Amino acid sequence: MARPTARVLALLEILQSGGAFNVADLARRLGVDERTVRRYATHLLDLGIPVEARRGRYGGYRLAPGYKLPPLMLTDEEAVAIVLGLAAGRRAGLVTADHAATESATAKLRRVLPAALARRIDALLATMDVTGPVRQQAPPGIEVLLVLAEAARHRHPVQLAYTTWHGRSSERGLDPYGLVFHNGRWYVTGRDHASGSARTFRLDRIGAIRATDGTFEVPAGFDPTGHVLAGLASVPYAHDVSVLLHTSLAQARRRIPPSVGTLTEVANGVRLTARAEHLDGAAQMLAGLGWPFTIERPAELKAEVRALASRLLTHADAGE
């Protein structure tokens, strides 16, 4: 709260809590002297806020009875933080509705900002760009997200309607252990009542949902993020891949995220096991790692690596 504007707003927040406050107490809470408190009160009066002063040795300030403050008052830093958060959330796919919700929230924020600050924020939004990728959105319903969040926090089971990727619908009971946002999608992981095991579900595929009676305990050491990423790596794509990487486990973990596959330390390196829909992409990944490797399966991956090597040699010799 080093800037005077921030301290003036802090004084307003204190007065808004109701009652009268003496100058000495306000000075202590704001970290300034009493003369500065009086100057801040004058600033509020200049802004049209009816601050009433009490004279005398133990004088102080209060807001005029019945005065209704504007719904939102922000410093420049707070306003920019909110607007950038909305913009970043939309780009990352973090929003839980279409762009209309983000746009309307930004418009409402602008209406309560001073005109000069609103113009500066408009300039920022018009000229800024972000180098990160724009994520394809798969927004869940806001009710789905909030019901699951409350259930996970308070450890209440839920009953939900779920549709799989191939269109099969079912009713499921779930003990939600945690929510995870990854690559533009929301996931919930927890104990599926039907199977009795930990499962992961996409929130955008959940229809009706309601909390049910009862409680549950999260297993000790359970990592929702790790479980979701491991589940994504084991999706039954067309090809089962196993490659021995001649490097250390620490180096492999720095380059290969859990969503790609499972890394296991073995006697002569690290075994990467993964599922792949297209082997040409797996060949390109292996080439990009820069480590020696031995392909254990499938044999078709060896052919893809040879084909990639041939194309690279052709490109390297081009123009000679």
Side-chain angles (χ1 to χ4, degrees):
M1 298 285 286
R3 295 183 56 188
T5 300
R7 288 202 182 101
V8 171
L9 291 178
L11 172 60
L12 179 56
E13 289 291 333
I14 295 172
L15 297 178
Q16 187 181 2
S17 64
F21 300 86
N22 65 59
V23 175
D25 181 47
L26 291 172
R28 179 185 58 80
R29 295 173 67 170
L30 295 172
V32 297
D33 57 35
E34 295 185 11
R35 182 178 179 181
T36 302
V37 170
R38 295 186 176 91
R39 188 168 70 249
Y40 290 168
T42 301
H43 289 334
L44 292 177
L45 285 169
D46 291 341
L47 291 172
I49 297 172
V51 177
E52 296 183 345
R54 293 186 304 169
R55 302 295 181 182
R57 180 179 179 183
Y58 300 104
Y61 297 97
R62 70 171 186 175
L63 288 179
Y67 175 70
K68 301 296 183 182
L69 287 172
L72 189 65
M73 298 192 71
L74 300 170
T75 65
D76 291 10
E77 292 84 356
E78 290 168 339
V80 170
I82 293 172
V83 170
L84 290 181
L86 289 169
R90 180 176 60 185
R91 186 179 183 92
L94 189 60
V95 294
T96 57
D98 59 22
H99 288 338
T102 304
E103 296 296 339
S104 63
T106 303
K108 289 177 181 178
L109 176 63
R110 286 188 77 264
R111 286 199 294 271
V112 300
L113 294 178
L117 177 56
R119 287 194 298 269
R120 298 179 76 184
I121 286 179
D122 285 344
L124 172 63
L125 293 177
T127 57
M128 66 174 280
D129 202 354
V130 181
T131 58
V134 178
R135 298 295 184 186
Q136 181 180 2
Q137 292 188 30
I142 188 65
E143 184 67 12
V144 170
L145 182 66
L146 296 181
V147 168
L148 283 171
E150 285 192 321
R153 182 174 188 179
H154 300 295
R155 300 185 178 180
H156 295 312
V158 297
Q159 192 75 20
L160 56 88
Y162 192 74
T163 303
T164 64
W165 65 273
H166 48 71
R168 188 172 69 245
S169 299
S170 62
E171 291 283 333
R172 318 187 77 97
L174 179 71
D175 297 341
Y177 294 163
L179 295 165
V180 177
F181 180 78
H182 175 69
N183 279 353
R185 291 189 174 94
W186 283 94
Y187 300 87
V188 61
T189 184
R191 189 181 73 88
D192 176 40
H193 294 182
S195 65
S197 59
R199 296 281 303 278
T200 295
F201 301 96
R202 275 175 50 174
L203 266 64
D204 59 299
R205 293 178 178 164
I206 296 176
I209 185 171
R210 60 182 177 86
T212 59
D213 294 334
T215 60
F216 63 85
E217 293 296 326
V218 179
F222 185 85
D223 177 16
T225 301
H227 188 268
V228 168
L229 294 179
L232 294 175
S234 62
V235 170
Y237 291 127
H239 301 283
D240 179 24
V241 174
S242 179
V243 178
L244 184 61
L245 305 173
H246 300 290
T247 186
S248 68
L249 182 60
Q251 288 179 318
R253 283 175 172 169
R254 280 195 291 269
R255 298 287 301 280
I256 303 172
S259 56
V260 170
T262 301
L263 298 170
T264 306
E265 190 171 25
V266 294
N268 51 350
V270 178
R271 176 170 287 111
L272 167 65
T273 55
R275 307 287 305 191
E277 190 67 23
H278 303 287
L279 290 177
D280 57 344
Q284 293 167 21
M285 181 198 70
L286 291 172
L289 291 173
W291 305 315
F293 57 84
T294 302
I295 296 174
E296 297 177 326
R297 65 177 184 270
E300 294 86 350
L301 181 55
K302 295 181 180 181
E304 287 290 347
V305 171
R306 293 190 189 99
L308 174 62
S310 177
R311 291 195 299 272
L312 292 175
L313 285 172
T314 299
H315 296 325
D317 293 339
E320 291 187 356

PDB file of all heavy atoms in Angstrom, residues 120-147:
ATOM      1  N   ARG A 120      -6.987   3.804 -20.800  1.00  0.00           N
ATOM      2  CA  ARG A 120      -5.653   3.185 -20.779  1.00  0.00           C
ATOM      3  C   ARG A 120      -5.746   1.662 -20.869  1.00  0.00           C
ATOM      4  O   ARG A 120      -4.943   1.011 -21.539  1.00  0.00           O
ATOM      5  CB  ARG A 120      -4.912   3.596 -19.502  1.00  0.00           C
ATOM      6  CG  ARG A 120      -4.687   5.096 -19.400  1.00  0.00           C
ATOM      7  CD  ARG A 120      -3.975   5.467 -18.123  1.00  0.00           C
ATOM      8  NE  ARG A 120      -2.545   5.148 -18.221  1.00  0.00           N
ATOM      9  CZ  ARG A 120      -1.696   5.300 -17.195  1.00  0.00           C
ATOM     10  NH1 ARG A 120      -2.151   5.752 -16.025  1.00  0.00           N
ATOM     11  NH2 ARG A 120      -0.432   5.000 -17.338  1.00  0.00           N
ATOM     12  N   ILE A 121      -6.757   1.099 -20.211  1.00  0.00           N
ATOM     13  CA  ILE A 121      -6.941  -0.354 -20.292  1.00  0.00           C
ATOM     14  C   ILE A 121      -7.381  -0.760 -21.694  1.00  0.00           C
ATOM     15  O   ILE A 121      -6.948  -1.790 -22.220  1.00  0.00           O
ATOM     16  CB  ILE A 121      -7.950  -0.810 -19.225  1.00  0.00           C
ATOM     17  CG1 ILE A 121      -7.284  -0.755 -17.845  1.00  0.00           C
ATOM     18  CG2 ILE A 121      -8.466  -2.220 -19.514  1.00  0.00           C
ATOM     19  CD1 ILE A 121      -8.177  -1.151 -16.704  1.00  0.00           C
ATOM     20  N   ASP A 122      -8.235   0.054 -22.338  1.00  0.00           N
ATOM     21  CA  ASP A 122      -8.615  -0.227 -23.720  1.00  0.00           C
ATOM     22  C   ASP A 122      -7.386  -0.252 -24.618  1.00  0.00           C
ATOM     23  O   ASP A 122      -7.260  -1.102 -25.510  1.00  0.00           O
ATOM     24  CB  ASP A 122      -9.601   0.838 -24.228  1.00  0.00           C
ATOM     25  CG  ASP A 122     -10.994   0.639 -23.660  1.00  0.00           C
ATOM     26  OD1 ASP A 122     -11.265  -0.455 -23.132  1.00  0.00           O
ATOM     27  OD2 ASP A 122     -11.798   1.581 -23.739  1.00  0.00           O
ATOM     28  N   ALA A 123      -6.474   0.686 -24.395  1.00  0.00           N
ATOM     29  CA  ALA A 123      -5.246   0.722 -25.191  1.00  0.00           C
ATOM     30  C   ALA A 123      -4.406  -0.527 -24.962  1.00  0.00           C
ATOM     31  O   ALA A 123      -3.829  -1.088 -25.899  1.00  0.00           O
ATOM     32  CB  ALA A 123      -4.442   1.979 -24.839  1.00  0.00           C
ATOM     33  N   LEU A 124      -4.358  -0.981 -23.708  1.00  0.00           N
ATOM     34  CA  LEU A 124      -3.598  -2.190 -23.400  1.00  0.00           C
ATOM     35  C   LEU A 124      -4.179  -3.404 -24.117  1.00  0.00           C
ATOM     36  O   LEU A 124      -3.455  -4.181 -24.755  1.00  0.00           O
ATOM     37  CB  LEU A 124      -3.597  -2.417 -21.887  1.00  0.00           C
ATOM     38  CG  LEU A 124      -3.007  -3.735 -21.384  1.00  0.00           C
ATOM     39  CD1 LEU A 124      -1.526  -3.827 -21.750  1.00  0.00           C
ATOM     40  CD2 LEU A 124      -3.190  -3.872 -19.878  1.00  0.00           C
ATOM     41  N   LEU A 125      -5.493  -3.575 -24.046  1.00  0.00           N
ATOM     42  CA  LEU A 125      -6.130  -4.732 -24.681  1.00  0.00           C
ATOM     43  C   LEU A 125      -6.010  -4.684 -26.203  1.00  0.00           C
ATOM     44  O   LEU A 125      -5.905  -5.718 -26.863  1.00  0.00           O
ATOM     45  CB  LEU A 125      -7.602  -4.800 -24.280  1.00  0.00           C
ATOM     46  CG  LEU A 125      -7.881  -5.092 -22.804  1.00  0.00           C
ATOM     47  CD1 LEU A 125      -9.373  -5.057 -22.522  1.00  0.00           C
ATOM     48  CD2 LEU A 125      -7.298  -6.446 -22.398  1.00  0.00           C
ATOM     49  N   ALA A 126      -5.999  -3.481 -26.757  1.00  0.00           N
ATOM     50  CA  ALA A 126      -5.933  -3.346 -28.213  1.00  0.00           C
ATOM     51  C   ALA A 126      -4.540  -3.606 -28.750  1.00  0.00           C
ATOM     52  O   ALA A 126      -4.376  -3.986 -29.920  1.00  0.00           O
ATOM     53  CB  ALA A 126      -6.398  -1.953 -28.633  1.00  0.00           C
ATOM     54  N   THR A 127      -3.512  -3.427 -27.935  1.00  0.00           N
ATOM     55  CA  THR A 127      -2.135  -3.523 -28.436  1.00  0.00           C
ATOM     56  C   THR A 127      -1.370  -4.738 -27.930  1.00  0.00           C
ATOM     57  O   THR A 127      -0.316  -5.064 -28.466  1.00  0.00           O
ATOM     58  CB  THR A 127      -1.341  -2.262 -28.047  1.00  0.00           C
ATOM     59  OG1 THR A 127      -1.376  -2.095 -26.612  1.00  0.00           O
ATOM     60  CG2 THR A 127      -1.950  -1.030 -28.709  1.00  0.00           C
ATOM     61  N   MET A 128      -1.875  -5.435 -26.924  1.00  0.00           N
ATOM     62  CA  MET A 128      -1.130  -6.554 -26.351  1.00  0.00           C
ATOM     63  C   MET A 128      -1.304  -7.815 -27.187  1.00  0.00           C
ATOM     64  O   MET A 128      -2.275  -7.978 -27.921  1.00  0.00           O
ATOM     65  CB  MET A 128      -1.589  -6.835 -24.912  1.00  0.00           C
ATOM     66  CG  MET A 128      -3.013  -7.328 -24.798  1.00  0.00           C
ATOM     67  SD  MET A 128      -3.468  -7.823 -23.123  1.00  0.00           S
ATOM     68  CE  MET A 128      -2.737  -9.464 -23.039  1.00  0.00           C
ATOM     69  N   ASP A 129      -0.331  -8.700 -27.093  1.00  0.00           N
ATOM     70  CA  ASP A 129      -0.427 -10.029 -27.683  1.00  0.00           C
ATOM     71  C   ASP A 129       0.279 -10.998 -26.753  1.00  0.00           C
ATOM     72  O   ASP A 129       1.105 -10.607 -25.928  1.00  0.00           O
ATOM     73  CB  ASP A 129       0.196 -10.068 -29.075  1.00  0.00           C
ATOM     74  CG  ASP A 129      -0.350 -11.219 -29.914  1.00  0.00           C
ATOM     75  OD1 ASP A 129      -1.122 -12.031 -29.356  1.00  0.00           O
ATOM     76  OD2 ASP A 129      -0.008 -11.327 -31.099  1.00  0.00           O
ATOM     77  N   VAL A 130      -0.050 -12.264 -26.873  1.00  0.00           N
ATOM     78  CA  VAL A 130       0.508 -13.309 -26.010  1.00  0.00           C
ATOM     79  C   VAL A 130       1.088 -14.390 -26.904  1.00  0.00           C
ATOM     80  O   VAL A 130       0.475 -14.776 -27.905  1.00  0.00           O
ATOM     81  CB  VAL A 130      -0.579 -13.907 -25.079  1.00  0.00           C
ATOM     82  CG1 VAL A 130       0.013 -14.972 -24.172  1.00  0.00           C
ATOM     83  CG2 VAL A 130      -1.219 -12.809 -24.253  1.00  0.00           C
ATOM     84  N   THR A 131       2.285 -14.867 -26.554  1.00  0.00           N
ATOM     85  CA  THR A 131       2.953 -15.836 -27.419  1.00  0.00           C
ATOM     86  C   THR A 131       2.469 -17.260 -27.206  1.00  0.00           C
ATOM     87  O   THR A 131       2.706 -18.117 -28.043  1.00  0.00           O
ATOM     88  CB  THR A 131       4.471 -15.803 -27.184  1.00  0.00           C
ATOM     89  OG1 THR A 131       4.740 -16.087 -25.791  1.00  0.00           O
ATOM     90  CG2 THR A 131       5.035 -14.431 -27.525  1.00  0.00           C
ATOM     91  N   GLY A 132       1.813 -17.533 -26.093  1.00  0.00           N
ATOM     92  CA  GLY A 132       1.331 -18.890 -25.840  1.00  0.00           C
ATOM     93  C   GLY A 132       0.237 -19.279 -26.820  1.00  0.00           C
ATOM     94  O   GLY A 132      -0.435 -18.431 -27.410  1.00  0.00           O
ATOM     95  N   PRO A 133       0.037 -20.584 -27.004  1.00  0.00           N
ATOM     96  CA  PRO A 133      -0.965 -21.039 -27.965  1.00  0.00           C
ATOM     97  C   PRO A 133      -2.380 -20.744 -27.487  1.00  0.00           C
ATOM     98  O   PRO A 133      -2.656 -20.700 -26.293  1.00  0.00           O
ATOM     99  CB  PRO A 133      -0.730 -22.559 -28.035  1.00  0.00           C
ATOM    100  CG  PRO A 133      -0.134 -22.903 -26.698  1.00  0.00           C
ATOM    101  CD  PRO A 133       0.720 -21.717 -26.329  1.00  0.00           C
ATOM    102  N   VAL A 134      -3.266 -20.516 -28.442  1.00  0.00           N
ATOM    103  CA  VAL A 134      -4.682 -20.365 -28.131  1.00  0.00           C
ATOM    104  C   VAL A 134      -5.282 -21.752 -27.997  1.00  0.00           C
ATOM    105  O   VAL A 134      -5.237 -22.554 -28.927  1.00  0.00           O
ATOM    106  CB  VAL A 134      -5.412 -19.579 -29.237  1.00  0.00           C
ATOM    107  CG1 VAL A 134      -6.899 -19.465 -28.918  1.00  0.00           C
ATOM    108  CG2 VAL A 134      -4.795 -18.195 -29.396  1.00  0.00           C
ATOM    109  N   ARG A 135      -5.802 -22.053 -26.828  1.00  0.00           N
ATOM    110  CA  ARG A 135      -6.327 -23.392 -26.568  1.00  0.00           C
ATOM    111  C   ARG A 135      -7.746 -23.542 -27.112  1.00  0.00           C
ATOM    112  O   ARG A 135      -8.560 -22.633 -27.007  1.00  0.00           O
ATOM    113  CB  ARG A 135      -6.337 -23.680 -25.062  1.00  0.00           C
ATOM    114  CG  ARG A 135      -4.959 -23.655 -24.415  1.00  0.00           C
ATOM    115  CD  ARG A 135      -4.088 -24.767 -24.938  1.00  0.00           C
ATOM    116  NE  ARG A 135      -2.808 -24.797 -24.235  1.00  0.00           N
ATOM    117  CZ  ARG A 135      -1.804 -25.599 -24.557  1.00  0.00           C
ATOM    118  NH1 ARG A 135      -1.932 -26.432 -25.575  1.00  0.00           N
ATOM    119  NH2 ARG A 135      -0.678 -25.571 -23.877  1.00  0.00           N
ATOM    120  N   GLN A 136      -8.000 -24.703 -27.691  1.00  0.00           N
ATOM    121  CA  GLN A 136      -9.368 -25.017 -28.091  1.00  0.00           C
ATOM    122  C   GLN A 136     -10.194 -25.233 -26.833  1.00  0.00           C
ATOM    123  O   GLN A 136      -9.839 -26.029 -25.967  1.00  0.00           O
ATOM    124  CB  GLN A 136      -9.404 -26.265 -28.964  1.00  0.00           C
ATOM    125  CG  GLN A 136     -10.798 -26.636 -29.441  1.00  0.00           C
ATOM    126  CD  GLN A 136     -10.789 -27.878 -30.306  1.00  0.00           C
ATOM    127  OE1 GLN A 136      -9.748 -28.486 -30.514  1.00  0.00           O
ATOM    128  NE2 GLN A 136     -11.952 -28.258 -30.796  1.00  0.00           N
ATOM    129  N   GLN A 137     -11.284 -24.505 -26.735  1.00  0.00           N
ATOM    130  CA  GLN A 137     -12.064 -24.547 -25.503  1.00  0.00           C
ATOM    131  C   GLN A 137     -13.033 -25.714 -25.476  1.00  0.00           C
ATOM    132  O   GLN A 137     -13.602 -26.091 -26.494  1.00  0.00           O
ATOM    133  CB  GLN A 137     -12.846 -23.243 -25.348  1.00  0.00           C
ATOM    134  CG  GLN A 137     -11.975 -22.033 -25.091  1.00  0.00           C
ATOM    135  CD  GLN A 137     -12.807 -20.826 -24.764  1.00  0.00           C
ATOM    136  OE1 GLN A 137     -13.897 -20.935 -24.211  1.00  0.00           O
ATOM    137  NE2 GLN A 137     -12.305 -19.651 -25.086  1.00  0.00           N
ATOM    138  N   ALA A 138     -13.173 -26.282 -24.288  1.00  0.00           N
ATOM    139  CA  ALA A 138     -14.214 -27.270 -24.024  1.00  0.00           C
ATOM    140  C   ALA A 138     -14.825 -26.892 -22.680  1.00  0.00           C
ATOM    141  O   ALA A 138     -14.611 -27.562 -21.670  1.00  0.00           O
ATOM    142  CB  ALA A 138     -13.629 -28.677 -23.989  1.00  0.00           C
ATOM    143  N   PRO A 139     -15.563 -25.765 -22.634  1.00  0.00           N
ATOM    144  CA  PRO A 139     -16.015 -25.234 -21.346  1.00  0.00           C
ATOM    145  C   PRO A 139     -17.084 -26.097 -20.703  1.00  0.00           C
ATOM    146  O   PRO A 139     -18.025 -26.539 -21.374  1.00  0.00           O
ATOM    147  CB  PRO A 139     -16.576 -23.857 -21.708  1.00  0.00           C
ATOM    148  CG  PRO A 139     -16.976 -23.977 -23.138  1.00  0.00           C
ATOM    149  CD  PRO A 139     -15.997 -24.918 -23.760  1.00  0.00           C
ATOM    150  N   PRO A 140     -16.965 -26.355 -19.399  1.00  0.00           N
ATOM    151  CA  PRO A 140     -18.025 -27.059 -18.681  1.00  0.00           C
ATOM    152  C   PRO A 140     -19.124 -26.092 -18.293  1.00  0.00           C
ATOM    153  O   PRO A 140     -18.952 -24.869 -18.352  1.00  0.00           O
ATOM    154  CB  PRO A 140     -17.303 -27.589 -17.439  1.00  0.00           C
ATOM    155  CG  PRO A 140     -16.276 -26.530 -17.166  1.00  0.00           C
ATOM    156  CD  PRO A 140     -15.838 -26.016 -18.519  1.00  0.00           C
ATOM    157  N   GLY A 141     -20.250 -26.618 -17.887  1.00  0.00           N
ATOM    158  CA  GLY A 141     -21.286 -25.769 -17.322  1.00  0.00           C
ATOM    159  C   GLY A 141     -20.823 -25.219 -15.984  1.00  0.00           C
ATOM    160  O   GLY A 141     -20.136 -25.906 -15.219  1.00  0.00           O
ATOM    161  N   ILE A 142     -21.152 -23.976 -15.700  1.00  0.00           N
ATOM    162  CA  ILE A 142     -20.707 -23.360 -14.454  1.00  0.00           C
ATOM    163  C   ILE A 142     -21.249 -24.108 -13.246  1.00  0.00           C
ATOM    164  O   ILE A 142     -20.557 -24.260 -12.232  1.00  0.00           O
ATOM    165  CB  ILE A 142     -21.108 -21.866 -14.414  1.00  0.00           C
ATOM    166  CG1 ILE A 142     -20.479 -21.176 -13.214  1.00  0.00           C
ATOM    167  CG2 ILE A 142     -22.608 -21.710 -14.429  1.00  0.00           C
ATOM    168  CD1 ILE A 142     -18.992 -21.107 -13.259  1.00  0.00           C
ATOM    169  N   GLU A 143     -22.478 -24.631 -13.334  1.00  0.00           N
ATOM    170  CA  GLU A 143     -23.053 -25.374 -12.215  1.00  0.00           C
ATOM    171  C   GLU A 143     -22.283 -26.663 -11.978  1.00  0.00           C
ATOM    172  O   GLU A 143     -22.044 -27.057 -10.827  1.00  0.00           O
ATOM    173  CB  GLU A 143     -24.530 -25.663 -12.483  1.00  0.00           C
ATOM    174  CG  GLU A 143     -25.257 -26.352 -11.332  1.00  0.00           C
ATOM    175  CD  GLU A 143     -25.403 -25.469 -10.106  1.00  0.00           C
ATOM    176  OE1 GLU A 143     -25.156 -24.247 -10.197  1.00  0.00           O
ATOM    177  OE2 GLU A 143     -25.781 -26.007  -9.048  1.00  0.00           O
ATOM    178  N   VAL A 144     -21.878 -27.324 -13.054  1.00  0.00           N
ATOM    179  CA  VAL A 144     -21.086 -28.554 -12.927  1.00  0.00           C
ATOM    180  C   VAL A 144     -19.787 -28.259 -12.194  1.00  0.00           C
ATOM    181  O   VAL A 144     -19.395 -28.958 -11.252  1.00  0.00           O
ATOM    182  CB  VAL A 144     -20.794 -29.154 -14.317  1.00  0.00           C
ATOM    183  CG1 VAL A 144     -19.772 -30.292 -14.214  1.00  0.00           C
ATOM    184  CG2 VAL A 144     -22.079 -29.664 -14.957  1.00  0.00           C
ATOM    185  N   LEU A 145     -19.095 -27.204 -12.610  1.00  0.00           N
ATOM    186  CA  LEU A 145     -17.809 -26.860 -12.000  1.00  0.00           C
ATOM    187  C   LEU A 145     -17.964 -26.525 -10.523  1.00  0.00           C
ATOM    188  O   LEU A 145     -17.193 -27.006  -9.678  1.00  0.00           O
ATOM    189  CB  LEU A 145     -17.192 -25.689 -12.757  1.00  0.00           C
ATOM    190  CG  LEU A 145     -15.821 -25.219 -12.275  1.00  0.00           C
ATOM    191  CD1 LEU A 145     -14.770 -26.283 -12.510  1.00  0.00           C
ATOM    192  CD2 LEU A 145     -15.426 -23.926 -12.965  1.00  0.00           C
ATOM    193  N   LEU A 146     -18.971 -25.718 -10.181  1.00  0.00           N
ATOM    194  CA  LEU A 146     -19.119 -25.273  -8.799  1.00  0.00           C
ATOM    195  C   LEU A 146     -19.622 -26.385  -7.881  1.00  0.00           C
ATOM    196  O   LEU A 146     -19.185 -26.486  -6.721  1.00  0.00           O
ATOM    197  CB  LEU A 146     -20.053 -24.066  -8.744  1.00  0.00           C
ATOM    198  CG  LEU A 146     -19.540 -22.808  -9.464  1.00  0.00           C
ATOM    199  CD1 LEU A 146     -20.536 -21.662  -9.322  1.00  0.00           C
ATOM    200  CD2 LEU A 146     -18.171 -22.392  -8.924  1.00  0.00           C
ATOM    201  N   VAL A 147     -20.522 -27.234  -8.374  1.00  0.00           N
ATOM    202  CA  VAL A 147     -20.988 -28.362  -7.558  1.00  0.00           C
ATOM    203  C   VAL A 147     -19.818 -29.294  -7.256  1.00  0.00           C
ATOM    204  O   VAL A 147     -19.637 -29.755  -6.116  1.00  0.00           O
ATOM    205  CB  VAL A 147     -22.125 -29.119  -8.273  1.00  0.00           C
ATOM    206  CG1 VAL A 147     -22.401 -30.455  -7.578  1.00  0.00           C
ATOM    207  CG2 VAL A 147     -23.387 -28.271  -8.286  1.00  0.00           C
TER     208      VAL A 147
END
